[in-house]
């Protein structure tokens, strides 16, 4: 279930302290800015985006495309880690923190970009609850959905050899090329 968010200061977007102030501000600021740039491009796109469409990242970012998309990946690494911490989902968030600290992509996390047909405003944000599959006391697969305006991002975490909770395999910074395909909504 998605929950509407009534603005940047909404309680659902605030987390218990799980990151140090430096990490949440200075260290991850490039990640926040990269997502802001990509989400604005996707929300402002004319004609409206449709599933199956390929988005060339070099049209979005003026600087190094690979670094900008790594920053987008790390933005969602941070958010998934914060939500997992907040709601007690036993993901290995220490791995998420190491990826952010070292500026490297999380090897088990992929992003699925989804066009959303909605009557919401271009700035309205909705977030879903984390769904997770556990083995013992740890989550081995998880998915979480984030929507802003007409674009959704399904964040998919899956350890090797485990079943992914999303149908679409999604995008990872290690994928070859500078395109992302928008998922088709069935």
């Amino acid at each position: 279930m998605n929950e509407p968010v009534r603005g940047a200061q909404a309680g659902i977007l605030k987390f218990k302290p799980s990151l140090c102030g430096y990490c949440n501000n200075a260290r991850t600021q490039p990640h926040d800015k990269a997502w802001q740039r990509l989400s604005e491009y996707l929300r402002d796109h004319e004609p409206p985006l449709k599933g199956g469409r390929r988005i060339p990242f070099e049209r979005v970012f003026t600087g190094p495309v690979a670094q900008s998309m790594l920053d987008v990946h790390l933005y969602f690494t941070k958010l998934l880690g914060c939500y997992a911490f907040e709601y007690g989902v036993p993901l290995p968030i220490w791995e998420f923190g190491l990826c952010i600290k070292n500026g490297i992509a999380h090897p088990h996390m992929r992003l699925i970009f989804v066009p959303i047909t909605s009557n919401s405003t271009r700035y309205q944000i909705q977030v879903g609850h984390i769904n997770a599959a556990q083995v013992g006391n740890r989550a081995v697969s998880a998915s979480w959905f984030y929507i802003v305006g007409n674009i959704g991002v399904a964040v998919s975490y899956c350890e090797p050899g485990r079943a992914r909770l999303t149908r679409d395999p999604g995008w990872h910074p290690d994928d070859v090329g500078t395109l992302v395909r928008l998922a088709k909504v069935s």
Side-chain angles (χ1 to χ4, degrees):
M1 175 173 82
N2 292 326
E3 293 183 39
V5 177
R6 306 246 184 258
Q9 299 303 315
I12 196 164
L13 293 178
K14 295 180 181 179
F15 305 108
K16 295 175 188 169
S18 57
L19 295 173
C20 70
Y22 175 76
C23 288
N24 193 39
N25 297 314
R27 179 170 278 148
T28 61
Q29 188 175 38
H31 313 154
D32 300 346
K33 288 182 177 182
W35 168 243
Q36 179 180 3
R37 179 135 177 109
L38 178 59
S39 68
E40 285 175 356
Y41 175 85
L42 295 172
R43 285 178 285 149
D44 291 341
H45 198 276
E46 290 293 332
L49 297 170
K50 293 187 178 178
R53 175 106 187 247
R54 295 188 183 277
I55 302 298
F57 294 139
E58 65 271 1
R59 290 188 187 163
V60 180
F61 300 107
T62 55
V65 173
Q67 181 61 53
S68 295
M69 285 309 297
L70 171 60
D71 288 342
V72 169
H73 175 87
L74 291 172
Y75 173 82
F76 285 102
T77 301
K78 174 177 79 168
L79 286 184
L80 181 61
C82 288
Y83 269 93
F85 180 83
E86 181 85 11
Y87 294 103
V89 178
L91 286 169
I93 58 175
W94 62 273
E95 288 178 3
F96 293 28
L98 283 176
C99 290
I100 291 167
K101 181 179 178 186
N102 295 317
I104 58 173
H106 194 291
H108 310 313
M109 199 182 87
R110 301 183 71 81
L111 304 177
I112 302 142
F113 297 90
V114 182
I116 302 293
T117 303
S118 166
N119 293 329
S120 66
T121 68
R122 70 189 265 4
Y123 296 107
Q124 183 176 4
I125 298 171
Q126 297 180 59
V127 294
H129 297 287
I130 296 176
N131 295 314
Q134 289 186 217
V135 171
N137 62 352
R138 78 182 217 286
V140 296
S141 187
S143 66
W144 175 67
F145 207 73
Y146 175 100
I147 300 170
V148 59
N150 64 347
I151 191 71
V153 180
V155 181
S156 177
Y157 169 87
C158 188
E159 292 180 0
R162 303 297 180 175
R164 188 168 294 283
L165 297 179
T166 55
R167 238 182 317 162
D168 191 307
W171 171 87
H172 188 273
D174 290 345
D175 291 350
V176 177
T178 58
L179 293 171
V180 68
R181 181 186 52 81
L182 297 175
K184 291 184 178 182
V185 180
S186 49

